[in-house]
Amino acid sequence: MLPAFRRVAFGIACIALAACVNHPTATAIGGAAECGAPAGWKQVAVAAETRVLIFGETHGTNEIPEAFTRYVCAASARGGKTLVLLEIDTNHADAFAAASDAGDPRAELLSNMSKHWTSTDGRGSEAMLDMMEALIDLRRSGRALIIRPMVQLVGWPEKDSPEELATWLAEQPPTKIQQMGEDGMAEIIRTQSKGFDRTIVLVGNVHARKAELLGLPGVQLMAMLVPDSISLIVLHDGGTSWNRVGEEARSRETFKLNAMDKAANSMAFSLENIPAYPGDVPSYDGYVSVGPITASPPALPPADAP
């Protein structure tokens, strides 16, 4: 039997193939029921129409990109235009566009974004590559679906040379650089979501917070800068994830992030904001719960591997 994600991707690919052969109407493409979205997805989707929906994830897992794909599949089946924004550098925008039209999207992504897929913070995982391939398959099935990157820094000073700019950056406090990144992602969301019926964002759960983080005093996080957005914390029951801590990047044990014991494969939008962990201030507008997690390593061997 195919693993859960492969079943989703395979099903989407089959729908896409049928679309190419039969030139179907939206009904023939397949509806939300075929996507296997988490329980409660429709309530979230209705609340998020014409708004920005943010998934705040733990990087480097198999389960979260897979759940995100199933939600996008169901939400985009509602009709209209869907924009998906991913926490990937905007300098890969051309690679995104090329892959969407390529005969072999996966090969195109690997070839044109090789540096990204060797990164070790979890955003370049094999599961993320699978997710992007499945989203492109959805687009080809007939969905009005656009996939774009959104990571950029804004607020650069004018300098005479790259060396001077690098010196300036090195002199800035970490909170300054963090704010430049938060501002940059929020700017992409605010400007590029115009004209879409829904915008769905996948980003690390720190950026998805709607309350200041103790370790980043004074920083306005991305979700705080996107008016009328809905932000969901992705809960999990622990397991393993692939990420970097200090100089070491590897699969590591990851503590449970589901103190509320929400059922696996469920999601909800709540009128009462939800904390990320016990003792935290309310930071999110709802949750997605994925159950136990397993690590997904970089799609290509890490650049610093021997």
Side-chain angles (χ1 to χ4, degrees):
M1 180 178 291
L2 291 170
F5 182 86
R6 294 295 187 184
R7 292 200 300 273
V8 172
F10 179 74
I12 293 171
C14 290
I15 294 170
L17 180 59
C20 294
V21 173
N22 299 322
H23 307 287
T25 64
T27 301
I29 289 170
E34 299 176 11
C35 299
W41 75 268
K42 191 170 184 179
Q43 178 234 14
V44 174
V46 169
E49 286 295 277
T50 73
R51 301 170 71 179
V52 174
L53 178 65
I54 303 168
F55 283 60
E57 73 148 348
T58 298
H59 294 318
T61 76
N62 287 297
E63 291 72 20
I64 296 174
E66 189 261 348
F68 183 79
T69 301
R70 290 187 283 114
Y71 176 82
V72 172
C73 176
S76 62
R78 292 171 56 82
K81 297 172 63 179
T82 301
L83 174 64
V84 171
L85 294 174
L86 303 178
E87 193 183 352
I88 295 175
D89 289 343
T90 54
N91 61 13
H92 293 304
D94 289 345
F96 273 48
S100 292
D101 297 323
D104 186 344
R106 190 182 190 88
E108 194 78 17
L109 290 167
L110 286 170
S111 174
N112 292 334
M113 295 173 55
S114 58
K115 185 175 181 180
H116 172 76
W117 301 118
T118 62
S119 63
T120 54
D121 67 356
R123 293 178 298 145
S125 70
E126 185 173 4
M128 290 290 284
L129 177 60
D130 288 343
M131 180 193 75
M132 288 189 65
E133 187 178 18
L135 292 175
I136 291 171
D137 283 340
L138 264 180
R139 177 179 178 274
R140 292 181 172 185
S141 76
R143 305 286 173 83
L145 175 64
I146 300 294
I147 310 147
R148 293 175 181 161
M150 67 172 187
V151 172
Q152 62 173 359
L153 295 181
V154 294
W156 300 91
E158 291 188 8
K159 297 292 182 181
D160 293 332
S161 69
E163 291 75 21
E164 287 187 19
L165 181 58
T167 299
W168 180 86
L169 286 170
E171 293 171 347
Q172 305 310 304
T175 52
K176 171 70 173 179
I177 303 303
Q178 184 78 31
Q179 190 65 70
M180 291 170 67
E182 304 294 333
D183 290 344
M185 288 190 288
E187 179 181 279
I188 291 284
I189 294 172
R190 292 193 305 265
T191 58
Q192 296 198 12
S193 60
K194 295 176 181 177
F196 286 89
D197 295 282
R198 66 193 65 84
T199 297
I200 310 171
V201 177
L202 181 62
V203 70
N205 55 37
V206 167
H207 311 297
R209 287 175 60 94
K210 288 189 169 181
E212 185 176 303
L213 189 65
L214 190 61
L216 294 170
V219 173
Q220 295 285 292
L221 299 166
M222 182 201 79
M224 301 166 68
L225 302 170
V226 181
D228 201 34
S229 62
I230 295 174
S231 191
L232 308 180
I233 177 70
V234 182
L235 304 173
H236 60 75
D237 294 334
T240 58
S241 61
W242 181 284
N243 47 58
R244 175 181 290 276
V245 175
E247 296 299 315
E248 186 181 31
R250 61 176 175 83
S251 172
R252 62 186 71 248
E253 293 295 320
T254 303
F255 293 112
K256 175 179 178 179
L257 185 62
N258 188 13
M260 297 174 286
D261 290 321
K262 299 297 185 182
N265 197 34
S266 70
M267 62 192 304
F269 169 64
S270 174
L271 296 178
E272 296 182 3
N273 289 355
I274 296 173
Y277 47 82
D280 190 21
V281 297
S283 311
Y284 301 91
D285 303 307
Y287 70 88
V288 184
S289 182
V290 300
I293 54 172
T294 56
S296 180
L300 292 175
D304 55 358

